[in-house]
Every structure is written in C-alpha cells, then in structure tokens.
Amino acid sequence: MPFGLKLRRTRRYNVLSKNCFVTRIRLLDSNVIECTLSVESTGQECLEAVAQRLELRETHYFGLWFLSKSQQARWVELEKPLKKHLDKFANEPLLFFGVMFYVPNVSWLQQEATRYQYYLQVKKDVLEGRLRCPLEQAIMLAGLAVQADFGDYSRFDSQDFLREYVLFPMDLALEEAVLEELTQKVAQEHKAHRTIMETVSIWAFSLWGFS
C-alpha cells in the first residue's frame, strides 16, 4: 500500500445497541436482575417485565425507584420513557423494585406472590430501621421471619446458621454477648413456630407491618 494513502474506516453500528439498553433492578430479596428494553420503553414496561419474572399480577401496588444525582430516593414516573428519565435524573442506571402503595389490610392482597413481596418489604423496613418496634417484638418478628425463610426448626441439626442471618434492626448497637442471648431467644421463637406453614408466617409478619 503506497504511503500517504489512507483507507476510510467505516463505523459499524450494532442496531440492537442503538435501539436498546440494559438496566439493572435490585429486588426486595437483594438479588439483581437485568432487563433489556427499547430506548422508548416506559417505566411501566420495565415494571411489567420485573413482575413477569416474579410471577406478579397485582403490579399496581409496586413501583421502581432510583437514587438521584443528589443521592435522594426518587420514584420512576412510570408513564415516561425510562432511559431519558434515568439519563436526566439518576446517579446510575440501577433501579430498585419495591412496594409503592400500601393497603389498609394484608387480606386485601389476593395473590400469594404479592403477599410475599409485601413481606420482603416489611422485613426490609424493620431491619433498616424505617419501621420501629420494641426489642421483644423484634425477637418475635425474627422468629416468624426464620420460619418463613427456612421452614421448620426440626429441619436443622443446630441453630448455628442464625448467626449468619440478619435478625435485628441494623441500628441496634448490640454487644456480642447480648446478640448471642437474643439469637437464642429467636431460636426458641422459631422452635415454637414449628408446623406453621411458611405462607402463614409471611402473613403474620406482614400483618404486623400493617397494624
């Protein structure tokens, strides 16, 4: 090739990448999923994609939120194109799925999958200190949560696994000896709930959150 002769390199566009984008959504169980959406997709379409994976039909109780550039939680405006909304306001393209509208009574929720997501939200709110409760209630709720998440006490040779499980609100500064004592109390609560179905434990925990 003669010196000085430059071939023009043509730029190849990936049509999929131009017309679509991938966003991550953190679920209430802390798992993160990815959704591939059109650049014109609305927040509602993203919410419906998440609901489909969770087998949720009662989507009207839920929403998506993100951290703004000033680190404030902000709900997605579901009727607007999601990518433009995130580009304009979000700190990063990470969404959080959560309960947006609470009903007066958990019995209003028709679907078991809906009640489970409500349970996860209430448990998260308790552990992160948004829902306050006395220590004795925290022990009772922890026992219900262990039954809901792990099933009967009799399934385990020991309760050592509880030491790896977040049982109490994070804002409680508990000394190690006190934490061990309270963990044993939770183990006794868990034992008392044996034979109670996980779904009933979920219902009872959520019912407390609505009271």
Side-chain angles (χ1 to χ4, degrees), residues 41-44 64-66 74-82 85 89 100:
S41 294
T42 62
Q44 182 64 39
L64 300 167
W65 60 275
F66 58 88
R74 177 170 178 161
W75 288 104
V76 169
E77 296 177 41
L78 296 176
E79 74 282 359
K80 293 186 176 180
L82 180 61
H85 198 55
F89 298 110
M100 191 173 187

Side-chain angles (χ1 to χ4, degrees), residues 7-183:
L7 296 179
R8 186 177 179 182
R9 181 176 294 177
T10 59
R11 186 172 182 179
R12 294 186 178 182
Y13 289 99
N14 184 326
V15 175
L16 182 64
S17 67
K18 284 180 63 180
N19 296 326
C20 297
F21 74 105
V22 176
T23 188
R24 294 176 298 140
I25 303 101
R26 186 177 298 279
L27 304 177
L28 287 168
D29 61 4
S30 296
N31 285 321
V32 176
I33 62 172
E34 291 186 344
C35 282
T36 302
L37 301 163
S38 160
V39 294
E40 299 300 324
S41 294
T42 62
Q44 182 64 39
E45 289 175 86
C46 182
L47 178 61
E48 288 172 359
V50 174
Q52 186 175 16
R53 296 201 194 186
L54 296 175
E55 299 182 345
L56 270 176
R57 295 191 303 273
E58 297 173 287
T59 57
H60 46 283
Y61 296 125
F62 301 92
L64 300 167
W65 60 275
F66 58 88
L67 287 176
S68 69
K69 293 174 182 178
S70 59
Q71 296 298 303
Q72 299 296 311
R74 177 170 178 161
W75 288 104
V76 169
E77 296 177 41
L78 296 176
E79 74 282 359
K80 293 186 176 180
L82 180 61
K83 188 175 187 305
K84 290 180 181 177
H85 198 55
L86 294 179
D87 287 347
K88 185 174 182 180
F89 298 110
N91 184 51
E92 60 174 324
L94 173 65
L95 294 169
F96 298 84
F97 171 80
V99 175
M100 191 173 187
F101 300 108
Y102 288 87
V103 294
N105 192 305
V106 70
S107 63
W108 287 23
L109 305 175
Q110 300 299 309
Q111 193 188 6
E112 186 176 318
T114 308
R115 292 193 290 271
Y116 180 65
Q117 294 302 320
Y118 262 72
Y119 156 72
L120 291 177
Q121 181 72 73
V122 173
K123 184 175 72 167
K124 186 179 180 67
D125 288 346
V126 169
L127 293 178
E128 294 181 359
R130 286 186 293 274
L131 273 178
R132 301 279 181 174
C133 62
L135 189 55
E136 288 304 314
Q137 276 194 342
I139 293 169
M140 179 269 292
L141 290 171
L144 285 171
V146 174
Q147 180 70 13
D149 293 345
F150 297 102
D152 273 356
Y153 180 95
S154 58
R155 293 175 56 191
F156 301 91
D157 295 330
S158 76
Q159 299 300 294
D160 289 346
F161 74 95
L162 292 179
R163 295 186 178 91
E164 307 299 321
Y165 186 68
V166 179
L167 297 169
F168 303 105
M170 296 174 184
D171 59 351
L172 287 179
L174 299 173
E175 295 180 0
E176 189 171 343
V178 175
L179 182 60
E180 179 64 26
E181 179 185 350
L182 294 179
T183 300

